[in-house]
Amino acid sequence: MNKHRVVVVDDYESVVETLVARLREKGFDAEGYREAERFLAETFDARHPQQEQPDLVIIDLELGIDKMQGMELIKELAARDITSEILAVSGNLSSADLLRAMMMGASDWLAKPFPDSHTLMPKLAGMAETGRKRRLHRGIESLEMDMTRLDRPVFLSYSENDRVLAGVIKRYLEARDIRVWYAPSTIRVGDPWQDRIREGIKNAKILVALLTDSYFTRPYCINELMEFDQRVRTGSEQQPLLLPVTNGFSQETERNPVFQNIRSRYQCKDIAGHRFLDGLTDLILRIEDRLAKPRNRTDEDRARA
């Protein structure tokens, strides 16, 4: 198998040279950039097919003066829905800033100075492998010509205004091999999009609803929520699971009858601010528990019964 491809974006030349050299010594295909703009131009444009994109991008949050900063770069890469894992690094910013980077699309973060190679390299290898799996999986999906792309266990419902955060949630779920119905990557040009959404909601086992002020101003969001809620109310042998996720809301939203109805019937998980990682972890575990296949009884189990 080809080497994992890793890109380092840092404005300190010595850091770039040293880290790239260490990565190459450990068998990675590594290269470095001192400017985010050049990295974007040379790696993520129409001339580079997706299979050539890096498996892992390491981004310093504080880049050169009057240049694109690391936080902006992370947000831009997330908006492009790239397959690469993103590691945010910094020597000066607070943990709150690093947490914000993760809410923008980074998969993890490290503070400078870096840990020793025995600790750092396995971490980078693991992240790069996740990025590679995501890239290969998406490549297979792009070749599918049947309707299996529409039948995914988790439907992600969100407002277009919250697309960046929705994309981050999707990346975290996909990193755990959870297939997500996500409109930008599921609905293709020429598809009857309303029919596709109805099919996605009908077939999904779980609906994750990203509830924000914007969500309750979008009729299509409310329709998705109410349609899945009706499935839950109807009940079935394999009852669907509705997981409302909140990210801050105004008093106006609190007075919204749809929101009041949902909050009175379902436990909401808050991922605003410092609750992001805890809330996301809880969400992932809840989804994995529901999607877990029933364990077959072994001879030892039967003997104990």
Side-chain angles (χ1 to χ4, degrees):
M1 182 172 286
N2 295 334
K3 299 177 181 179
H4 288 116
R5 184 173 177 228
V6 181
V7 170
V8 180
V9 184
D10 195 309
D11 63 329
Y12 280 92
E13 184 175 2
S14 60
V15 171
V16 172
E17 290 179 350
T18 301
L19 187 52
V20 167
R22 287 186 181 181
L23 285 163
R24 289 174 177 171
E25 288 174 1
K26 296 297 182 179
F28 293 89
D29 175 10
E31 60 183 316
Y33 292 87
R34 295 181 60 192
E35 295 181 356
E37 293 88 345
R38 183 183 169 199
F39 164 62
L40 285 172
E42 295 187 3
T43 306
F44 292 100
D45 64 14
R47 295 171 300 171
H48 292 76
Q50 188 159 322
Q51 61 266 27
E52 294 182 6
Q53 292 183 7
D55 300 309
L56 170 64
V57 185
I58 302 171
I59 301 174
D60 188 351
L61 296 184
E62 295 181 288
L63 299 176
I65 299 174
D66 298 327
K67 296 292 185 178
M68 176 184 280
Q69 295 302 299
M71 201 78 74
E72 299 173 82
L73 175 57
I74 291 172
K75 185 176 181 180
E76 175 64 22
L77 294 178
R80 297 187 186 201
D81 195 27
I82 67 165
T83 59
S84 312
E85 282 285 270
I86 300 173
L87 176 65
V89 300
S90 176
N92 299 311
L93 298 182
S94 66
S95 58
D97 293 311
L98 293 167
L99 176 60
R100 180 168 167 257
M102 295 186 69
M103 295 181 71
M104 288 292 167
S107 303
D108 205 344
W109 62 269
L110 277 178
K112 292 180 176 179
F114 298 131
D116 62 80
S117 292
H118 294 295
T119 302
L120 178 63
M121 291 302 160
K123 179 182 183 69
L124 301 186
M127 294 186 70
E129 180 61 19
T130 297
R132 168 178 282 175
K133 287 180 178 179
R134 184 186 293 117
R135 170 167 50 85
L136 295 176
H137 178 71
R138 194 171 297 181
I140 292 172
E141 284 189 336
S142 68
L143 296 175
E144 291 180 349
M145 300 304 292
D146 57 28
M147 302 300 288
T148 58
R149 65 187 170 93
L150 304 175
D151 186 7
R152 299 177 182 177
V154 178
F155 188 102
L156 182 54
S157 177
Y158 65 96
S159 164
E160 183 63 24
N161 287 356
D162 302 313
R163 181 172 179 175
V164 171
L165 183 55
V168 171
I169 294 173
K170 170 180 172 286
R171 285 174 62 83
Y172 274 98
L173 294 177
E174 287 184 338
R176 303 292 284 261
D177 293 326
I178 298 171
R179 291 169 60 85
V180 180
W181 200 106
Y182 179 71
S185 58
T186 304
I187 299 178
R188 298 175 178 172
V189 175
D191 278 352
W193 63 272
Q194 290 179 321
D195 292 342
R196 293 292 180 261
I197 289 174
R198 281 193 290 268
E199 291 170 13
I201 293 174
K202 178 182 177 181
N203 295 328
K205 296 180 176 66
I206 300 169
L207 183 133
V208 176
L210 181 53
L211 305 184
T212 63
D213 288 336
S214 179
Y215 190 94
F216 291 97
T217 65
R218 301 295 192 271
Y220 66 87
C221 290
I222 295 175
N223 288 341
E224 292 170 5
L225 185 62
M226 292 296 94
E227 188 168 340
F228 200 86
D229 176 61
Q230 183 59 40
R231 279 189 60 197
V232 175
R233 288 172 179 266
T234 301
S236 64
E237 189 172 321
Q238 192 75 22
Q239 188 174 24
L241 177 65
L242 197 160
L243 296 176
V245 176
T246 60
N247 186 43
F249 43 81
S250 65
Q251 291 182 350
E252 182 178 356
T253 295
E254 287 202 52
R255 292 191 293 268
N256 185 292
V258 177
F259 179 73
Q260 290 179 345
N261 176 51
I262 292 298
R263 192 162 65 168
S264 69
R265 300 184 57 245
Y266 299 96
Q267 179 66 38
C268 297
K269 179 55 58 178
D270 187 10
I271 61 170
H274 68 277
R275 302 182 183 92
F276 176 71
L277 290 179
D278 288 337
L280 191 60
T281 300
D282 191 19
L283 178 70
I284 291 172
L285 292 175
R286 188 82 171 89
I287 291 173
E288 288 181 334
D289 283 347
R290 175 51 64 96
L291 297 181
K293 295 180 180 179
R295 187 171 67 93
N296 292 327
R297 297 184 71 191
T298 63
D299 292 339
E300 183 179 351
D301 292 330
R302 286 188 287 270
R304 291 175 179 173

